[in-house]
Amino acid sequence: MVRLRGRSGARSARRPSGVRTEGAPDRAHAVPARGLSRAAQAEGRRQGRFPGVRATLGGRSVAGQVFVLQVVIVLLLVVAAVVALVLQVRYDTTEEARNRSVAVAESFANAPGTREALDSPDPTAVLQPRAEAAREATGVDFIVVMNTDGIRYTHPKPDRIGKKFVGNLEPALQGRVVTEQITGTIGPLVQAVVPIKDPDGKVVGLVSAGITTATVGGTADRQLPLVLTAAAVALALATAGTALVSRRLLRQTHGLGPDEMTRMYEHHDAVLHAVREGVIIVGTEGRLLLANDEAHRLLDLPDDAEGRRVLHLGLAPDTAELLDSGRMATDEVHLVKDRLLAVNQRPTTLRGRPSGSVATLRDSTELRALSGRAEEARERLNMLYDAGVGIGTSLDVTRTAEELAELAVPRFADFATVDLFEAVLGGGQPEGVTRLRRTACGGIHKDAPLYPVGEEIRFVDSSPQARALKDGQAVIEPRLADAPGWRAQDLERSAQVVDFGIHSLVAVPLRAGSLVLGVVSFWRSRKAGPFDADEVALAEELVARAAVSIDNARRYTREHSMAVTLQRSLLPRSLPEQNALDIAYRYLPAQAGVGGDWFDVLPLSGARVALVVGDVVGHGLHAAATMGRLRTAVHNFSALDLPPDELLALLDELVARIDQDETEEESDTAPVTGATCLYAVYDPVSQRCTIARAGHPPPALIQPDGSVDFPDVPAGPPLGLGGLPFETAELELAEDSRLVLYTDGLVEDRGRDIDEGLELLRTALARAGRSPEETCRAVLEARQPGRASDDIALIVARTRALGTDLVAEWQVPSDPAAVGQVRSAVTRTLQAWDLEELSFTTELILSELVTNAIRYGGEPIRVRMLRDRSLICEVFDSSSTSPHLRYATMTDEGGRGLFLVAQLADRWGTRYLPAGKVIWAEQPLP
């Protein structure tokens, strides 16, 4: 049973005065006043006339359970009495049988002539008649005389004479009397064995007498019916008495079971004295019958209030009048001392006449205060939830700080400022005492005299912000007007802040682990009171959550800056000088992470230019480093003057080798699978462009008339897959055409596929201006604004043609005498180009190269001379054997020609063609 503390338990145990308890009708009405549930009342009404037998035998009520228990107890007592009687009769029967057997056996053993008969020639003839006569006279079942070996001389059944006696003979042979219970040939019996002794005390024979228990138990069988009849009568009388008692109990308990009665009382006690509402029951004559703990507290009732009139309890007149009147009231508000009580009162009736009232009291003052606190707690929880989902939506330090200020104003503070160390804004860690920069500022008014965003601030040691940074704990400044430490920061600005109406401040350090990133200041102006302890705890929680997001953004900024720095260091910083193409480019790194896009412009021999655009799938330092390795490889391979398809084949083999090496080393870095590349070579002399691509988007071509198309360039597999050859496409480009190369970040993202991106690109190119710069600007402006999810590399190259007046070409017969003719032609050409200063060196270079071609090469042999940014000399022959530079000894007749060429030319080399090779040399123009 639940007992409440204090006087509640005492009042629950004490019956209120004035409540009638005698008589079934009064009790039936009194129970609801004591807390009987509606279900119990309904049950009582259903059993209003209490059909005794049915209700009593139900077993579910207290009366039924008492009836069943009493019947069981009486039944058990009767059964126990019968069993005890039977056991006693059996014991007496056994004792009687044992005594009779011993007496008969001893009498027969000591009878005259018994011992002498044992010595006769035929003991059976003498003893058998005597034994049978004695058996019939004494009523035993058998008398057996036997020798010391247990051989029978007598037996009621003659056929058993001469056989072994069944029983324990050893004690009797030693001169003692033996009794035992056995199951013999005639059934369960008790037998006694007595020794027959001679005058010297020697045992010369044995006598056994026995009687069966059936013979002795006839008396018990005659007594048992009488015992059972008496037990049945006693059971019937006890049952009838128990039924009468149970019926009386049933009427008093209204048919309730013990669990229901216990639960009813516990509910009554709990509800009455544990609820946060006062309950008062007033009886006739306005006497207080019952008041729970809450009513005592709200009305400040004395301990002995029960039984007294409510008008004499010292209550306020209006409250006492209401309780004494018993009238109906709904939410009437009464002032009781410093409390506003909402009173509800309903009258109660007994036998249809007014008998009292029940009133409930509720403290609306506390409810309002509690409601306000609950609303504040709910608002704080909502704010913390909004902070979890609304702060840190981007990996930008400044934006994260702005999100914190936007969330705090005006829900928590009237103004909020976020000051971060300079190093944090750049992704680093603050070291030593450095200045802070105001990163975010929010407020209910825009003209607050606080430091503006972007201002560098050095807080003085006495300021709350400096103390928060030093101690790592929030600092409250409840009255800024009386805070000399805060005013010392800036006397003029501090006065303006106070005059503006800002009067309270909380400074909270931005801490991510052991690292202090800055300080957040919350300012109050509209609310009169300063920040309290709960608000400071909320401020610390808000700033702690924001600190994690700002630290994540700082780390990302650092890694992103490192990757961008690495990537930009690997990209070309300036384009090489060349006359074949007019080039403009754009490179936009991804906001989500630096990728592996790159581009390059590579001057080749013969005034040609190679354009390269590539992409390594992925983001981060690994992608940037891989891009640098691939770009370096393209530089090296382009120096060999290889065709685009062969260069991509070598690059594909390199990527596969890199992947294999990283797999064997079980490196944590991801393989390079997914790299793409496009390689194009433009020749301004023939105005042909040879292109090959490895999984890269196709180039776009803008004709001089402004039309745009995407040339059909075979799409090879991405680099690193291996096993498939690359194909080339050769385009005829008119002068002033624009070739557009790009990476997939320009035409493809999560919101659109590549076909849609290509159409958007086509539209942008068709509207672009004629210069490469205008084309780049138009393409990027046509992109949908937003954060780029991938790098973008864009090159626009407008073609130029090397005029025929700057190209000289001769066919050379395979005759050493033709070298002189070549010299003469070169001299005339250089005079026409105003390059007489280069005549001697050019004649010498071409003499050596033509001589080698005649001697070691094959026909046809051609000489071509180009005037570009340098003077280019080329000798074509059909041989694929390449000469090489070596040091000739003093005795060698030849071998010094290429050495002279290398010394006189600025650059020289060999370029292979499908039908031979080209040996070229370049000289700078004067």
Side-chain angles (χ1 to χ4, degrees):
M1 181 180 295
V2 177
R3 282 291 181 188
L4 302 180
R5 60 180 177 83
R7 58 178 181 269
S8 304
R11 283 198 306 276
S12 296
R14 183 171 67 248
R15 182 180 301 276
S17 62
V19 178
R20 299 178 58 186
T21 59
E22 296 80 5
D26 289 346
R27 284 194 302 271
H29 289 281
V31 171
R34 298 174 57 199
L36 188 62
S37 65
R38 293 180 180 270
Q41 298 178 46
E43 180 66 20
R45 286 193 297 270
R46 284 196 303 271
Q47 299 184 7
R49 290 166 179 72
F50 300 109
V53 175
R54 185 185 63 182
T56 303
L57 296 179
R60 290 173 293 180
S61 64
V62 173
Q65 293 185 11
V66 170
F67 171 77
V68 173
L69 180 62
Q70 289 181 348
V71 170
V72 171
I73 291 175
V74 172
L75 183 61
L76 290 178
L77 291 176
V78 172
V79 172
V82 173
V83 172
L85 178 60
V86 171
L87 293 178
Q88 183 63 39
V89 169
R90 288 184 178 179
Y91 176 77
D92 294 342
T93 300
T94 303
E95 287 297 317
E96 176 65 20
R98 182 179 289 109
N99 294 335
R100 289 175 62 180
S101 299
V102 173
V104 171
E106 287 182 343
S107 297
F108 195 87
N110 296 323
T114 300
R115 180 180 58 81
E116 291 79 2
L118 293 177
D119 296 333
S120 66
D122 189 3
T124 300
V126 177
L127 296 175
Q128 177 68 12
R130 296 179 181 179
E132 286 300 306
R135 180 181 66 80
E136 293 178 359
T138 58
V140 297
D141 289 306
F142 67 87
I143 297 176
V144 176
V145 182
M146 67 200 85
N147 60 14
T148 56
D149 294 329
I151 303 301
R152 299 188 184 97
Y153 290 142
T154 64
H155 197 279
K157 295 180 180 181
D159 59 337
R160 304 292 176 89
I161 297 175
K163 295 183 179 180
K164 185 76 173 178
F165 179 78
V166 179
N168 186 11
L169 302 179
E170 290 299 327
L173 293 175
Q174 296 176 3
R176 299 194 302 271
V177 178
V178 181
T179 60
E180 58 182 341
Q181 290 181 263
I182 64 171
T183 301
T185 58
I186 59 176
L189 53 87
V190 178
Q191 66 182 12
V193 180
V194 178
I196 303 174
K197 301 180 181 178
D198 60 7
D200 297 333
K202 180 181 178 182
V203 178
V204 295
L206 302 172
V207 176
S208 176
I211 185 172
T212 61
T213 56
T215 302
V216 184
T219 304
D221 295 338
R222 291 190 298 271
Q223 294 176 351
L224 186 58
L226 180 61
V227 172
L228 293 178
T229 301
V233 172
L235 179 60
L237 294 176
T239 302
T242 301
L244 293 176
V245 174
S246 299
R247 181 176 180 180
R248 180 73 174 181
L249 182 61
L250 182 67
R251 295 178 63 186
Q252 293 179 349
T253 59
H254 295 275
L256 296 178
D259 293 339
E260 293 174 334
M261 295 184 66
T262 302
R263 185 167 59 253
M264 182 183 69
Y265 178 77
E266 290 176 347
H267 290 176
H268 166 272
D269 207 30
V271 172
L272 188 61
H273 299 295
V275 297
R276 295 292 294 172
E277 283 194 5
V279 178
I280 289 180
I281 300 178
V282 179
T284 56
E285 299 180 356
R287 295 187 180 276
L288 179 64
L289 302 181
L290 181 65
N292 67 348
D293 290 346
E294 186 67 5
H296 273 264
R297 186 182 71 86
L298 295 177
L299 298 177
D300 195 18
L301 297 176
D303 294 339
D304 59 347
E306 283 85 350
R308 298 170 56 184
R309 296 198 60 175
V310 294
L311 296 176
H312 302 158
L313 296 178
L315 302 177
D318 58 339
T319 305
E321 185 275 331
L322 172 63
L323 297 177
D324 183 68
S325 66
R327 61 180 174 84
M328 183 180 296
T330 302
D331 287 336
E332 284 192 13
V333 179
H334 291 259
L335 178 62
V336 179
K337 295 185 178 180
D338 58 345
R339 295 187 178 95
L340 289 176
L341 301 183
V343 183
N344 290 274
Q345 184 169 267
R346 295 293 183 272
T348 60
T349 58
L350 291 175
R351 294 184 178 179
R353 58 182 175 82
S355 60
S357 60
V358 177
T360 60
L361 314 173
R362 184 174 65 254
D363 190 348
S364 60
T365 305
E366 294 185 0
L367 288 177
R368 292 176 183 176
L370 182 61
S371 176
R373 290 194 296 270
E375 184 65 27
E376 292 178 2
R378 182 164 55 251
E379 174 60 23
R380 292 175 183 178
L381 288 176
N382 291 337
M383 190 181 303
L384 291 177
Y385 173 78
D386 293 342
V389 300
I391 298 177
T393 58
S394 65
L395 291 174
D396 183 79
V397 175
T398 301
R399 180 55 193 156
T400 304
E402 292 173 350
E403 291 171 346
L404 172 59
E406 292 171 359
L407 177 70
V409 177
R411 299 172 64 179
F412 177 69
D414 299 323
F415 299 91
T417 58
V418 182
D419 305 315
L420 300 178
F421 289 104
E422 285 282 358
V424 174
L425 295 173
Q429 297 184 2
E431 299 178 357
V433 180
T434 58
R435 290 181 177 272
L436 292 92
R437 183 176 295 276
R438 178 136 298 176
T439 309
C441 180
I444 58 176
H445 301 294
K446 300 298 183 181
D447 55 346
L450 300 172
Y451 287 116
V453 174
E455 182 86 7
E456 287 190 0
I457 308 171
R458 182 184 293 275
F459 291 106
V460 298
D461 295 339
S462 61
S463 64
Q465 291 85 352
R467 285 184 286 156
L469 291 173
K470 180 181 179 182
D471 300 335
Q473 301 292 332
V475 176
I476 308 177
E477 199 64 70
R479 289 178 295 275
L480 296 179
D482 302 330
W486 170 75
R487 298 175 69 92
Q489 174 70 34
D490 189 335
L491 294 177
E492 181 180 357
R493 187 180 295 273
S494 300
Q496 295 174 356
V497 169
V498 173
D499 294 339
F500 190 77
I502 299 176
H503 59 81
S504 183
L505 163 68
V506 175
V508 184
L510 265 166
R511 297 185 57 183
S514 60
L515 188 64
V516 179
L517 307 176
V519 63
V520 181
S521 301
F522 299 102
W523 313 78
R524 174 169 288 177
S525 62
R526 291 184 300 182
K527 191 174 180 180
F531 292 97
D532 56 24
D534 292 339
E535 291 172 327
V536 173
L538 176 60
E540 291 178 333
E541 182 68 21
L542 284 175
V543 173
R545 297 194 179 197
V548 175
S549 300
I550 290 177
D551 187 54
N552 291 338
R554 178 190 66 84
R555 294 172 183 269
Y556 171 79
T557 301
R558 180 185 60 189
E559 295 181 2
H560 187 267
S561 299
M562 293 172 56
V564 169
T565 301
L566 173 62
Q567 188 181 45
R568 291 195 179 279
S569 67
L570 298 175
L571 291 173
R573 300 185 180 181
S574 61
L575 297 181
E577 295 182 353
Q578 44 81 32
N579 292 334
L581 297 169
D582 181 13
I583 296 176
Y585 66 92
R586 294 290 188 276
Y587 181 81
L588 301 178
Q591 297 296 324
V594 175
D597 293 15
W598 90 93
F599 65 92
D600 228 328
V601 179
L602 306 173
L604 302 178
S605 61
R608 297 172 305 132
V609 177
L611 301 177
V612 186
V613 177
D615 182 9
V616 176
V617 176
H619 298 87
L621 293 174
H622 176 67
T626 303
M627 175 270 290
R629 299 167 72 177
L630 297 182
R631 178 171 177 259
T632 302
V634 172
H635 268 263
N636 294 333
F637 294 151
S638 65
L640 301 176
D641 250 334
L642 298 175
D645 56 340
E646 294 184 16
L647 186 142
L648 291 181
L650 292 176
L651 199 61
D652 176 68
E653 183 179 353
L654 173 63
V655 172
R657 190 180 305 117
I658 293 174
D659 287 346
Q660 182 179 2
D661 293 343
E662 291 182 350
T663 303
E664 291 177 355
E665 295 175 3
E666 296 183 355
S667 172
D668 293 335
T669 57
V672 191
T673 53
T676 64
C677 184
L678 185 147
Y679 188 81
V681 177
Y682 174 69
D683 187 351
V685 178
S686 63
Q687 298 184 20
R688 291 179 177 272
C689 182
T690 306
I691 305 176
R693 62 189 179 114
H696 204 80
L701 180 62
I702 307 176
Q703 301 292 346
D705 60 359
S707 61
V708 181
D709 63 346
F710 295 93
D712 185 14
V713 178
L719 299 175
L721 298 182
L724 295 176
F726 296 96
E727 301 181 40
T728 60
E730 192 169 281
L731 307 178
E732 292 278 353
L733 301 183
E735 189 174 5
D736 205 25
S737 299
R738 282 167 288 170
L739 186 65
V740 181
L741 308 181
Y742 52 90
T743 56
D744 58 356
L746 181 66
V747 296
E748 187 177 13
D749 57 26
R750 296 178 180 177
R752 66 188 180 198
D753 57 18
I754 190 171
D755 293 334
E756 182 182 355
L758 291 176
E759 286 302 318
L760 292 176
L761 177 61
R762 182 196 300 272
T763 303
L765 293 176
R767 298 174 180 175
R770 300 191 61 83
S771 69
E773 279 292 336
E774 293 174 342
T775 304
C776 288
R777 188 181 308 111
V779 169
L780 295 183
E781 289 177 353
R783 284 190 72 253
Q784 294 181 356
R787 295 170 57 89
S789 59
D790 196 4
D791 293 357
I792 296 176
L794 173 66
I795 299 179
V796 178
R798 184 171 59 187
T799 60
R800 297 173 181 168
L802 194 62
T804 56
D805 57 332
L806 301 179
V807 179
E809 188 173 1
W810 305 278
Q811 291 287 340
V812 179
S814 183
D815 183 1
V819 176
Q821 299 174 2
V822 172
R823 288 179 179 177
S824 300
V826 166
T827 301
R828 291 192 300 269
T829 303
L830 292 178
Q831 289 177 354
W833 290 347
D834 296 327
L835 296 176
E836 293 88 348
E837 298 178 10
L838 299 179
S839 297
F840 176 75
T841 57
T842 303
E843 290 177 4
L844 183 57
I845 290 173
L846 286 177
S847 297
E848 294 297 332
L849 295 180
V850 172
T851 301
N852 284 338
I854 294 173
R855 181 177 300 178
Y856 303 107
E859 292 183 335
I861 300 173
R862 288 184 297 113
V863 174
R864 189 172 71 170
M865 193 164 58
L866 309 175
R867 179 180 178 178
D868 194 40
R869 289 182 175 272
S870 61
L871 182 62
I872 304 171
C873 300
E874 297 178 338
V875 177
F876 300 78
D877 69 77
S878 60
S879 173
S880 60
T881 301
S882 175
H884 58 279
L885 184 66
R886 66 185 182 88
Y887 288 96
T889 62
M890 296 296 294
T891 59
D892 289 342
E893 295 182 358
R896 298 177 179 84
L898 286 181
F899 184 79
L900 292 175
V901 172
Q903 296 299 317
L904 296 175
D906 190 25
R907 294 193 310 152
W908 76 281
T910 303
R911 180 172 74 251
Y912 290 94
L913 302 175
K917 67 176 181 298
V918 177
I919 302 177
W920 54 270
E922 293 183 1
Q923 302 176 72
L925 296 178

